[in-house]
Amino acid sequence: MSLDKDIPLSRDEVADREVTAANAHADQMADPPPAAVSPPPLPQAAGASRFHESARAQVQGAATYVDDIPELKGTLHAAPILSTIAHGRLLGVDTAAALAMPGVRGVVLAGDIPGDPLLGSFAHDEPVFAQDRVEHIGQVIGLVVADTVMQARRAARQVKCRIEALPAILDVHDALQAQSFVLPPVFVRRGAADAALATAAHRLHGTLNVGGQEHFYLEGQIAYVLPQEQNQWLVYSSTQHPGEIQHWVAHALGIASHAVRVECRRLGGGFGGKETQSGQMAVWAAIAARKFKKPVKLRLDRDDDFLVTGKRHPFAYDYTVGFEDSGRITGLKLAMAVNCGFSADLSGPVADRAVFHADNAYFLEDVEIASYRCKTNTQSHTAFRGFGGPQGMVVIEAIMGDIARQLGLEPLAVRRRNLYGIGERDVTHYQMRVEDNILAPLLLKLEQTSLYAKRQEAISAWNSASPVIKRGMALTPVKFGISFTATLFNQAGALVHVYTDGSCQVNHGGTEMGQGLNTKVCQIVADELGIAFEQVLATASDTSKVPNASATAASAGTDLNARAAQYAARNVRDRLAQLVAGLDGCGAKAVRFQGGQVSSPAGSRPFTEVVKLAYANRIQLWSDGFYRTPKIHYDKATLTGRPFYYFSYGAACTEVALDTLTGESRVLKVDILQDVGNSINPAIDIGQIEGGFVQGMGWLTTEQLVWNAQGLLTTHAPSTYKIPTTGDIPAHFKVDFWPEPNREDNVFGSKAVGEPPLMLAISVFEALRAAVAAARPGKRVQLDAPATAENVLRALGCLNA
């Protein structure tokens, strides 16, 4: 027996032998492969309609949401103690009855907060739990913690809070009179609006009230917090912003952010309602978990979710507009009163975006816009799909309709005369040049494909013959800016791992909420590496993998995260290309990755073999990627600059019928032409367009939020708050894409599609206003949104205001 077999090898000697074997394998692979017939190439992943990556699991009930995560032994459940008074002094909390109930472990109040008693929001104006004052019905005063969720909820209702009622402000008009604001008013001016109005050929003064909207996500607000070793915490949260959850929980517990890990595999809908306000759930659950040293889950039931969380901001408008005989606007003064609720939350940037989008698609030369951020004793209103954009656009579209009726002109003609130009009339009121304008040809194409003129003639004939059922139609455009207006949020990171079997895992800072973000990211990464879509897996958003990620919001989820993932995949691909170039004696740029093959002028190898070869040569098979949006800048003090990387355009033509006896209405036909650039996934994009439109239709027709005189939200369940159903979808619902890539260098040449389609539904509201006008020839249309049957009857003069 030889000596080397009698003596065990050292660890270093074993490693040397493994390297020698790997090098031998590399030497074998270094020879160019024979010119063989390659397998059929794989189809490109991006640009094709791929199934949503979770679709099969979701229809099988196998997709895991926070409430599906197996609960650890000893998990406790929390339920909120809510204020029943809109505004008052909190004098005491009597928990005796609750503590005596079965299964109750205790309560959590403001005195149990180990860190800052105020939430870690940018305005730092909202208490974690109410302390000496309550400011809306539904404000959380504390928690009851029990063995089961129902024990906690029943006990929470037995807590008695002593509150001395104070006068409450429940209306923006009262807030304006009292100068009650969560943030200072903002004014944006260009030119001389007063002078332009004084010399205008025609002037109109008008008001408009537009209600808020409940997010009504299918999965309610929920957080599950698990204590870890050494004062570390694991948070499962249904959130659009894991990074902010991490910051808020650390802030409330008085610890560093690195001690808090937040994970979110998916959420069952967000629509903006889980951008900041999922943070409260996580903070409350974390404080309870710390106090009781047990895992704690907090899941709001639907009624409490309505009462606790904020909505889309209601707006009230007052405007004076001057215009020419042709309908072109010459001057505009517009005041927006924003109902922000009791704290700032995201009201500042929401109100800013409403100011930015008060032009929609139209050039406003002499304009003055005032934005009042009103404090009321209601829930703190928050982000909602469109983020103030819909509230900015709806008023200018109403003004266009009013001008057309005042002058007896065709509304589409008035809209067309006010569009932004190319090379002239192309700078917004916030000093951003509109460089990618496709408004005129897009409107023309939809006008033609929807048979707009022919249908308007038919509607006119119908209305002349029908005394009860009136019809209306409107074709309205959308120009929506894409980027976070807060420039610092326009950044993203991602990780791409390639395994030795050729499979790939990608992780990024965005969250999957049904919109198909993970699917699109996987498509982009698959094409960057030249492999099959099925070989790429997106994993849960996790603050321990990608830190400091921005919220998945502002329609920028794919723009940011898919680009970051693409860069990460490109780093890995470039390393593989360098390896193959060295083996085949060519430049790295001559190496191609496509169809599961890695090809050079010398031949082709399967991607999997190249990966194994790279591993054998100790080449890094993972990488990070980082992306920040170029070109953007913005002065928050003056609301000027280039806040948006590009604009997303679209238009919708909608026809409605209205019963003048009952006020009921129905959407009959919808034709949409949407600018999505090069669509990464057409099926997903069509779903986003259809869903966004229907959600916007609900906001403007049926979804009415009603607070009573005491400040109680009385529409807090599906029985009283009506979202659209399948029966509300028109039989004719046609969606087409504008056939042009993004003119800016965006991932795959695509454009954002999450929010812009919601504003296409303004065509529904304008069509209803046209139908009301047909029922009352020569009368001014005063229809507030939502256009419920009751509001329609008021507009028809059948009910008192």
Side-chain angles (χ1 to χ4, degrees):
M1 185 175 290
S2 63
L3 186 63
D4 63 344
K5 289 186 179 179
D6 291 334
I7 300 175
L9 296 175
S10 70
R11 181 178 298 173
D12 289 341
E13 288 171 324
V14 171
D16 286 341
R17 289 197 172 189
E18 290 174 345
V19 170
T20 300
N23 287 337
H25 177 69
D27 289 339
Q28 294 172 2
M29 291 297 296
D31 295 328
V37 177
S38 300
L42 296 167
Q44 184 171 313
S49 291
R50 301 278 179 172
F51 284 121
H52 188 289
E53 49 90 23
S54 295
R56 288 184 176 86
Q58 286 168 324
V59 299
Q60 293 169 350
T64 300
Y65 294 85
V66 173
D67 207 27
D68 301 317
I69 297 170
E71 295 173 3
L72 290 184
K73 183 178 180 181
T75 293
L76 302 177
H77 297 265
I81 302 165
L82 305 182
S83 170
T84 57
I85 299 295
H87 188 208
R89 295 187 183 90
L90 180 60
L91 304 177
V93 181
D94 182 357
T95 62
L99 293 173
M101 295 183 70
V104 173
R105 297 295 187 96
V107 298
V108 180
L109 299 170
D112 295 308
I113 303 168
D116 193 331
L118 297 178
L119 290 169
S121 60
F122 82 95
H124 206 232
D125 65 342
E126 184 173 344
V128 173
F129 296 119
Q131 298 172 53
D132 56 355
R133 182 182 295 263
V134 295
E135 298 198 78
H136 75 92
I137 294 177
Q139 184 173 0
V140 175
I141 295 170
L143 306 172
V144 171
V145 179
D147 292 332
T148 72
V149 64
M150 293 312 298
Q151 287 173 336
R153 289 176 180 175
R154 292 188 189 105
R157 287 164 171 76
Q158 298 305 311
V159 175
K160 307 298 181 186
C161 298
R162 290 192 298 116
I163 301 172
E164 178 187 338
L166 296 171
I169 296 175
L170 303 175
D171 179 83
V172 290
H173 302 290
D174 293 337
L176 285 171
Q177 187 172 1
Q179 296 287 288
S180 174
F181 303 122
V182 297
L183 294 166
V186 169
F187 303 93
V188 174
R189 300 177 179 90
R190 176 167 67 176
D194 285 324
L197 288 171
T199 59
H202 305 274
R203 283 188 298 277
L204 272 178
H205 175 262
T207 60
L208 177 66
N209 294 290
V210 175
Q213 187 176 20
E214 164 63 31
H215 301 87
F216 219 108
Y217 23 65
L218 287 178
E219 177 198 29
Q221 296 278 7
I222 184 171
Y224 184 29
V225 178
L226 288 72
Q228 309 288 287
E229 64 172 72
Q230 301 181 71
N231 199 26
Q232 297 174 47
W233 303 86
L234 173 59
V235 180
Y236 293 106
S237 173
S238 178
T239 180
Q240 296 174 238
H241 200 175
E244 187 164 73
I245 298 287
Q246 178 189 40
H247 168 63
W248 281 22
V249 169
H251 185 79
L253 295 183
I255 58 177
S257 291
H258 68 204
V260 179
R261 176 185 160 213
V262 181
E263 181 179 311
C264 177
R265 172 58 184 90
R266 63 175 59 84
L267 51 154
F271 310 117
K274 296 176 182 176
E275 184 172 345
T276 58
Q277 301 208 352
S278 55
Q280 285 93 324
M281 313 303 139
V283 167
W284 296 333
I287 294 169
R290 182 186 182 278
K291 177 173 181 176
F292 293 99
K293 298 178 172 58
K294 296 279 189 180
V296 172
K297 180 186 285 187
L298 172 59
R299 184 184 79 239
L300 296 183
D301 70 14
R302 185 64 68 177
D303 291 275
D304 286 351
D305 204 320
F306 265 83
L307 292 175
V308 170
T309 63
K311 324 299 176 192
R312 185 188 295 281
H313 291 71
F315 271 57
Y317 311 88
D318 188 288
Y319 67 86
T320 302
V321 61
F323 46 97
E324 300 171 349
D325 292 341
S326 66
R328 176 173 283 187
I329 291 176
T330 56
L332 174 65
K333 291 188 72 171
L334 172 63
M336 301 179 174
V338 187
N339 186 339
C340 301
F342 82 100
S343 70
D345 194 83
L346 292 172
S347 295
V350 167
D352 287 351
R353 189 174 272 265
V355 170
F356 288 141
H357 286 82
D359 60 341
N360 189 14
Y362 312 113
F363 177 74
L364 303 175
E365 187 165 10
D366 292 286
V367 59
E368 180 179 314
I369 301 173
S371 174
Y372 299 95
R373 292 92 195 271
C374 300
K375 178 174 181 175
T376 61
N377 293 116
T378 63
Q379 295 85 345
S380 186
H381 298 309
T382 189
F384 200 124
R385 195 176 194 171
F387 203 80
Q391 294 98 313
M393 292 183 190
V394 70
V395 64
I396 193 66
E397 291 300 336
I399 289 170
M400 292 294 167
D402 287 346
I403 290 171
R405 281 184 285 274
Q406 176 77 9
L407 295 174
L409 298 175
E410 216 292 316
L412 181 57
V414 172
R415 290 183 164 92
R416 188 173 274 125
R417 289 186 186 110
N418 284 283
L419 291 177
Y420 277 102
I422 298 176
E424 61 174 358
R425 294 169 51 87
D426 61 354
V427 177
T428 68
H429 54 291
Y430 48 92
Q431 304 305 312
M432 177 176 172
R433 189 172 299 279
V434 181
E435 299 173 344
D436 55 0
N437 186 354
I438 58 171
L439 285 162
L442 188 146
L443 261 65
L444 178 60
K445 183 174 181 180
L446 183 60
E447 181 186 12
Q448 293 168 345
T449 58
S450 66
L451 304 177
Y452 177 84
K454 182 178 179 181
R455 286 167 60 191
Q456 281 287 32
E457 291 178 2
I459 288 170
S460 179
W462 169 280
N463 287 337
S464 296
S466 174
V468 175
I469 306 298
K470 298 295 183 181
R471 291 190 177 185
M473 187 168 70
L475 196 160
T476 60
V478 166
K479 174 185 68 67
F480 188 77
I482 303 299
S483 290
F484 288 95
T485 52
T487 304
L488 77 164
F489 293 137
N490 293 287
Q491 58 176 301
L495 296 172
V496 167
H497 298 169
V498 175
Y499 297 93
T500 54
D501 64 353
S503 64
C504 175
Q505 186 183 96
V506 58
N507 188 272
H508 57 85
T511 56
E512 174 60 55
M513 61 192 93
Q515 84 280 37
L517 172 59
N518 281 349
T519 308
K520 290 184 175 182
V521 168
C522 289
Q523 288 176 275
I524 294 297
V525 169
D527 283 346
E528 195 67 27
L529 296 175
I531 60 178
F533 170 72
E534 291 75 16
Q535 288 177 259
V536 185
L537 175 69
T539 57
S541 303
D542 188 331
T543 56
S544 68
K545 292 185 177 180
V546 177
N548 311 316
S550 298
T552 305
S555 298
T558 299
D559 290 5
L560 295 173
N561 295 288
R563 184 64 110 187
Q566 183 181 42
Y567 287 171
R570 185 171 297 171
N571 290 337
V572 175
R573 187 197 68 186
D574 288 348
R575 295 188 195 115
L576 297 178
Q578 289 285 353
L579 171 66
V580 172
L583 295 174
D584 291 358
C586 66
K589 290 184 178 180
V591 180
R592 296 287 180 264
F593 293 74
Q594 189 173 9
Q597 299 288 309
V598 182
S599 304
S600 77
S604 179
R605 298 176 178 86
F607 178 81
T608 302
E609 289 189 20
V610 174
V611 168
K612 290 177 179 176
L613 179 60
Y615 177 74
N617 280 272
R618 295 178 294 175
I619 292 172
Q620 183 178 331
L621 289 170
W622 63 270
S623 183
D624 64 316
F626 180 79
Y627 174 71
R628 63 177 188 173
T629 309
K631 296 187 177 182
I632 53 176
H633 56 90
Y634 161 56
D635 185 335
K636 187 176 180 180
T638 61
L639 261 66
T640 59
R642 178 175 178 162
F644 309 120
Y645 185 32
Y646 62 87
F647 291 104
S648 174
Y649 299 94
C653 179
T654 297
E655 183 177 345
V656 302
L658 185 152
D659 187 328
T660 59
L661 298 181
T662 66
E664 295 172 288
S665 63
R666 177 173 292 278
V667 176
L668 302 177
K669 292 183 180 181
V670 174
D671 292 270
I672 290 172
L673 183 56
Q674 182 64 39
D675 168 33
V676 300
N678 288 337
S679 175
I680 297 173
N681 191 314
I684 284 177
D685 287 348
I686 288 173
Q688 286 291 290
I689 293 167
E690 292 175 343
F693 182 92
V694 171
Q695 191 169 52
M697 181 176 76
W699 167 52
L700 293 170
T701 58
T702 62
E703 298 184 43
Q704 186 170 31
L705 295 163
V706 178
W707 284 267
N708 67 16
Q710 289 72 47
L712 172 66
L713 179 64
T714 58
T715 50
H716 55 79
S719 59
T720 50
Y721 185 83
K722 297 301 183 180
I723 64 173
T725 67
T726 54
D728 297 307
I729 309 303
H732 178 97
F733 197 170
K734 185 171 178 283
V735 176
D736 290 317
F737 293 160
W738 178 256
E740 182 184 344
N742 194 335
R743 297 182 188 179
E744 295 292 349
D745 181 20
N746 204 45
V747 62
F748 195 67
S750 66
K751 283 194 172 184
V753 73
E755 292 174 297
L758 185 138
M759 285 147 280
L760 297 173
I762 294 172
S763 62
V764 176
F765 188 61
E766 284 303 293
L768 287 169
R769 281 163 40 90
V772 170
R776 306 185 77 200
K779 299 285 183 69
R780 183 81 179 270
V781 175
Q782 186 62 51
L783 176 63
D784 289 334
T788 60
E790 187 176 10
N791 280 342
V792 168
L793 289 175
R794 285 197 183 97
L796 291 169
C798 301
L799 295 176
N800 293 326

